Amino acid sequence: MKPFAAAARAAALAVPVVATALPALAQEANPLSFNVSVTSDYRYRGISQTRLKPALQGGVDYAHSSGFYVGAWASTIKWISDGGGDADVEIDTYAGYKDEVGGGVTVDVGFLRYNYPGNDLPVSANTNELYGAVSFGPATLKYSHSISNLFGFADSKNSSYLDLSATFDIGGGFSLTPHIGHQKVKNNSDFSYTDYSLTVNKDWSGFTFGAGFVATNTDNYIGGKGKDLGKNGVVVSVKKVF
């Protein structure tokens, strides 16, 4: 979930703003779920993975009643081909455990692997992260830690991403989700940055329609055709879970 940028070889970091790759636990009676979505721009941690162009995405999740879950998610991308590599899809695989521990507090811990088949970059874009999150009420605080190089950055093991988000039900099938996060790229401090977003979602006839404003404080992520991949912008999407 990130792009290659800056000169010919810097990777970007972005969670789709309106559609997340990580799973929402399915109801106990139906542990297997599928999702498909279309978005006007695949943003992950604020950075466009598709050169500010649309993306097709989809995934599958299995959530056991014990709290353990596994899943996979994929999206079309452009940043690796723009950086001289040979991959036009990202495939994420993950597994973890999520449960309420009492007092309305939920914990979620797991492992996430970002796969870029055949990426063929000087430093492989494939990335492994461990993550942990704590939720209370509408808010979630999450920490992600890379145990490999991060998205093609050399010597970037132990990079981290810390983010805070919340989801508020504002009635009529609408929800509002503010978000702020900070990406630290180990030994590549010029590429560390903060991202912000505010997203409105609407559930209608089994679909979720989203519109979000995304911003970052960096202009160091430059993709194909000189595009500023972290520029402020609006992302719209539609998603179906079944």
Side-chain angles (χ1 to χ4, degrees):
M1 308 174 104
K2 18 285 76 225
F4 227 23
R9 344 178 329 174
L13 316 302
V15 151
V17 191
V18 224
T20 174
L22 295 184
L25 295 184
Q27 293 182 0
E28 188 171 309
N30 183 23
L32 186 64
S33 65
F34 301 86
N35 63 84
V36 62
S37 61
V38 178
T39 181
S40 64
D41 182 9
Y42 171 20
R43 293 283 186 123
Y44 184 71
R45 296 176 183 171
I47 306 296
S48 176
Q49 312 300 292
T50 50
R51 205 194 316 128
L52 311 177
K53 300 293 184 180
L56 177 64
Q57 304 170 333
V60 56
D61 295 299
Y62 179 84
H64 192 266
S65 58
S66 64
F68 288 98
Y69 61 84
V70 296
W73 182 90
S75 177
T76 55
I77 58 171
K78 292 185 181 294
W79 68 271
I80 288 182
S81 58
D82 286 348
D86 187 24
D88 57 8
V89 66
E90 169 190 331
I91 303 172
D92 302 338
T93 50
Y94 45 84
Y97 177 81
K98 183 176 182 179
D99 198 12
E100 184 175 344
V101 295
V105 176
T106 298
V107 297
D108 183 2
V109 294
F111 169 81
L112 172 59
R113 164 80 173 182
Y114 304 87
N115 304 280
Y116 303 93
N119 66 87
D120 193 30
L121 297 174
V123 178
S124 175
N126 296 335
T127 299
N128 298 318
E129 281 189 341
L130 300 175
Y131 59 86
V134 178
S135 299
F136 180 75
T140 298
L141 180 67
K142 182 177 179 181
Y143 176 77
S144 301
H145 189 91
S146 70
I147 55 175
S148 67
N149 281 329
L150 185 77
F151 308 131
F153 284 109
D155 194 24
S156 59
K157 183 179 178 181
N158 294 319
S159 294
S160 62
Y161 184 72
L162 179 66
D163 69 285
L164 177 65
S165 62
T167 300
F168 299 99
D169 183 351
I170 55 178
F174 287 92
S175 62
L176 182 68
T177 301
H179 159 89
I180 183 171
H182 180 73
Q183 177 70 63
K184 180 179 179 181
V185 185
K186 187 78 170 181
N187 298 318
N188 294 266
S189 59
D190 286 348
F191 294 97
S192 298
Y193 66 95
T194 300
D195 70 286
Y196 321 83
S197 66
L198 183 63
T199 302
V200 176
N201 288 316
K202 166 66 174 176
D203 293 328
W204 183 76
S205 295
F207 292 86
T208 299
F209 296 86
F213 176 75
V214 193
T216 72
N217 67 348
T218 181
D219 57 7
N220 286 335
Y221 289 87
I222 306 300
K225 300 183 180 179
K227 298 291 187 179
D228 178 0
L229 303 180
K231 69 181 293 186
N232 299 352
V234 173
V235 175
V236 296
S237 70
V238 59
K239 181 178 182 178
K240 172 70 174 178
V241 177
F242 52 95

